Every structure is written in C-alpha cells, then in structure tokens.
C-alpha cells in the first residue's frame, strides 16, 4: 500500500493477556517510530528503530513493552500482562531517515482496550 | 526536545485566514520547528517545518520570528477539512539516539461554516 498500515485497527483484550500490534511502514523507509495516545492527549513517544535496531527505546514505560523489527521493515509492538492503563491508541510512523528534517508518515493507529 | 506553548483552542470562520501561534523561548540553535495536525480518528499528518526562514508549501505557511522564540502557522483560507488539533514541535537531538518528535497537547482548531 501507499501509506503506513497498522493491524489490527481495534483490539479488545482482558487484563493480564498478551497483545501484539503490527506496523507495516512505507517501503524504503529506514526509520520507524511507535507512539501511544491516550484520550485528549498528544501522542507519546515509545521507541524508534533505525533499520533493524532499536536506536532509542527511552519511551517504553516498563519491561512489559517490547518491540522488534527483525528485517528492517515490518515491526511488532508486544505488550505482556496487559493492564487497564495500557488502553490507548498505538500509532506507528515511518520516515526515509531519522534526521530532524524528515517528515514522519503516521498510520491510523491500533486502538487497544484492556477490560 | 525543548517545550512549546500553544493556545488550547481557536476558532475561525470558513474561508478566512487562520494564524496559529506557538511560543518556544528555550529553542536551541539546531532545533527545527515542525507542525503536524491530527484530524479526528486519524494519525497525525505533517504540515510544514522550518529552521530560520519563513516557509511556504501547498498546505500552509510558517512564519518564524527573527529570534526564533516564536512561530506562527498560517492557513490562508480555512476550510471545514482544516478542523483538527495542530501541534507545534521542536525537533532536535533527544540525547538518547534519535530526533524523535515530542508532542504537546496542541491547539484544537474549530472552523465555523
């Protein structure tokens, strides 16, 4: 597709379960970002990949959150032992490079609801 | 990233120009000023960015103060489709390996038909 694709668009799970959210970036984009957005707030940075490696994971809230990008393209955000406070929209973005002049292209997000 | 200050909300009449202000008094010399907007139920969308000089593109204009402590996003003719939350972001090196964007709460723009 032409844009950043995220699946699933909606996920409802129970407290304590494991969840995976997938991001398919724009072809050729080496930089990939994950953000999460709670209601009424701006997006909050989680992690940045340059190629296959996580260059900046300073935004991950705790060790229940983990993300991978094994082949430098698709990325998966993994959340273990989900809590109600994890409910949010998880946004993925990609960019040609990770430099501060680059434009980020965002997907429409995966809405996670933890019951 | 350095902090920015924006009004919580603004209103504009359709087909009139809109000036969205942003203060960033602690900006550093290498920080770029980026603007993104977010329509309801969508991911953020890039609008424009600049360093020192004013910038124009098909979506908007960015006017940057000479001391760079403030900037203004200008929508020349607001349409109903421009109703969104507008984020002003300073993008510099985070110190942790990236130039990631740090979003604030933004300005919610309402456009009145």
């Amino acid at each position: 597709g032409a844009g950043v694709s995220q699946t699933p668009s909606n996920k409802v799970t129970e407290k304590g379960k494991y969840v995976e959210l997938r991001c398919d970036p724009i072809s050729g984009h080496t930089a990939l970002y994950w953000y999460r957005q709670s209601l009424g707030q701006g997006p909050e940075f989680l992690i940045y990949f340059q190629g296959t490696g996580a260059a900046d994971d300073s935004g991950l809230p705790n060790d229940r959150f983990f993300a991978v990008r094994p082949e430098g393209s698709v990325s998966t955000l993994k959340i273990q032992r989900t809590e109600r406070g994890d409910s949010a929209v998880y946004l993925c973005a990609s960019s040609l490079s990770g430099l501060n002049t680059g434009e980020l292209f965002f997907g429409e997000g995966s809405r996670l609801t933890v019951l | 990233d350095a902090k920015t200050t924006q009004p919580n909300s603004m209103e504009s009449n359709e087909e009139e120009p809109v000036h969205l202000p942003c203060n960033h008094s602690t900006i550093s010399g290498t920080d770029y000023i980026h603007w993104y907007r977010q329509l309801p139920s969508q991911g953020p969308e890039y609008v424009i960015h600049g360093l020192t000089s004013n910038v124009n593109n098909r979506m908007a204009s960015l006017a940057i103060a000479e001391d760079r402590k403030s900037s203004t996003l200008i929508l020349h003719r607001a349409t109903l489709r421009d109703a969104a939350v507008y984020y002003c972001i300073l993008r510099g090196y985070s110190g942790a390996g990236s130039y990631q964007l740090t979003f604030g709460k933004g300005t919610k723009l309402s456009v009145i038909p």
Side-chain angles (χ1 to χ4, degrees):
Chain A
V4 176
S5 176
Q6 292 189 246
T7 54
S9 55
N10 273 290
K11 175 72 177 177
V12 180
T13 191
E14 293 178 342
K15 180 174 176 293
K17 299 287 189 184
Y18 169 80
V19 165
E20 287 190 353
L21 305 175
R22 175 188 166 110
C23 173
D24 206 333
I26 293 172
S27 178
H29 282 194
T30 61
L32 186 145
Y33 304 78
W34 281 100
Y35 284 79
R36 74 174 174 182
Q37 187 170 25
S38 301
L39 198 60
Q41 304 295 316
E44 174 193 17
F45 170 76
L46 295 177
I47 188 169
Y48 157 65
F49 286 89
Q50 181 57 247
T52 60
D56 181 359
D57 63 359
S58 62
L60 293 177
N62 52 59
D63 61 6
R64 295 186 299 105
F65 288 76
F66 189 71
V68 295
R69 194 185 185 199
E71 296 176 359
S73 179
V74 171
S75 176
T76 305
L77 179 66
K78 307 180 182 202
I79 311 173
Q80 298 178 319
R81 304 183 304 280
T82 52
E83 301 177 356
R84 292 195 180 88
D86 298 336
S87 295
V89 176
Y90 288 81
L91 294 161
C92 176
S94 70
S95 181
L96 266 177
S97 77
L99 298 179
N100 59 355
T101 55
E103 174 183 348
L104 267 65
F105 295 83
F106 282 83
E108 295 197 347
S110 293
R111 180 177 297 278
L112 175 66
T113 304
V114 181
L115 301 176
Chain B
D1 288 334
K3 295 270 193 255
T4 61
T5 304
Q6 299 178 253
N8 290 333
S9 61
M10 289 184 65
E11 271 188 2
S12 172
N13 292 320
E14 194 177 10
E15 299 189 4
E16 289 189 357
V18 184
H19 290 231
L20 296 162
C22 181
N23 288 318
H24 29 78
S25 58
T26 59
I27 189 170
S28 75
T30 55
D31 287 340
Y32 277 77
I33 302 160
H34 285 247
W35 284 81
Y36 281 72
R37 72 179 186 180
Q38 188 171 22
L39 280 64
S41 301
Q42 294 190 24
E45 172 188 32
Y46 169 82
V47 178
I48 201 167
H49 77 274
L51 183 62
T52 56
S53 305
N54 294 345
V55 184
N56 299 295
N57 66 21
R58 64 174 179 82
M59 287 182 72
S61 296
L62 176 60
I64 301 172
E66 199 170 327
D67 64 5
R68 302 211 322 128
K69 292 182 187 293
S70 66
S71 60
T72 302
L73 180 71
I74 303 164
L75 306 179
H76 296 287
R77 270 182 90 222
T79 69
L80 296 178
R81 201 196 164 277
D82 292 323
V85 177
Y86 286 78
Y87 297 99
C88 168
I89 302 162
L90 299 185
R91 193 172 184 200
Y93 185 63
S94 71
S98 72
Y99 295 94
Q100 40 98 343
L101 297 172
T102 300
F103 289 81
K105 288 194 174 182
T107 296
K108 183 173 182 179
L109 175 67
S110 301
V111 179
I112 302 165

